[in-house]
Amino acid sequence: MSFQSKQGIVPQLVKPIREWVQGLFMRVFPASALLLVACSTVQLQASRPQAPNTLEQARAYVADRERQLEFLEYELNEQSRACYNKFFVSSCLDDVRLLGAQIRRAHLEVQGKAEDMIRLNDYANRRAKTPN
């Protein structure tokens, strides 16, 4: 840089810095918008179980429960890994943990109802078999 018209180096740097900042803003703003789109909410394929209405549904749920929970754990692990590709990693991980806890809680409630139905049916069958 040369000292033109005895202005010194500072006046010559002011204009390029201002243009550089504006150019940087015009590049960073669209990129940040794309990153925020990448921070979408967590969607799981595993759904909350429905409470059984019949004894057959209760027995089917109890038999299939372990497979459903294994699938849930697999899917939560996959979603957790995918969170590391997003901008807000900790927020995404919190969402995955919260959704996983809600689904596990729903499984516990349905499991309790299903086992109660099976237990009450077994009790009724035993009472029917015993002579009075």
Side-chain angles (χ1 to χ4, degrees):
M1 292 189 182
S2 65
F3 294 103
Q4 297 173 346
S5 70
K6 309 264 188 228
Q7 294 179 349
I9 198 167
V10 176
Q12 293 176 10
L13 291 177
V14 172
K15 184 177 178 185
I17 289 174
R18 186 179 308 134
E19 291 173 1
W20 182 78
V21 169
Q22 288 174 348
L24 182 66
F25 178 74
M26 295 307 288
R27 289 184 194 111
V28 170
F29 183 70
S32 63
L34 289 175
L35 282 174
L36 290 177
V37 169
C39 302
S40 60
T41 60
V42 177
Q43 298 290 330
L44 293 180
Q45 292 179 0
S47 61
R48 290 188 173 105
Q50 299 295 323
N53 294 326
T54 63
L55 185 62
E56 292 79 25
Q57 289 177 348
R59 287 188 174 145
Y61 174 78
V62 170
D64 196 42
R65 179 179 174 271
E66 290 300 319
R67 187 189 62 78
Q68 289 179 2
L69 289 177
E70 286 175 8
F71 177 70
L72 175 65
E73 287 300 319
Y74 170 77
E75 193 170 12
L76 289 173
N77 287 335
E78 289 296 315
Q79 288 292 330
S80 295
R81 285 189 196 113
C83 284
Y84 290 102
N85 295 330
K86 296 185 178 183
F87 187 73
F88 296 114
V89 176
S90 61
S91 174
C92 179
L93 289 174
D94 289 343
D95 292 344
V96 168
R97 289 183 192 120
L98 180 64
L99 192 57
Q102 290 172 350
I103 293 175
R104 282 189 202 100
R105 189 176 304 118
H107 273 284
L108 286 175
E109 291 173 3
V110 171
Q111 176 189 3
K113 290 177 184 177
E115 289 177 350
D116 286 346
M117 288 177 74
I118 293 170
R119 190 178 312 110
L120 288 173
N121 182 52
D122 291 344
Y123 178 73
N125 289 341
R126 279 184 295 194
R127 292 239 16 217
K129 288 181 182 178
T130 58
N132 288 337

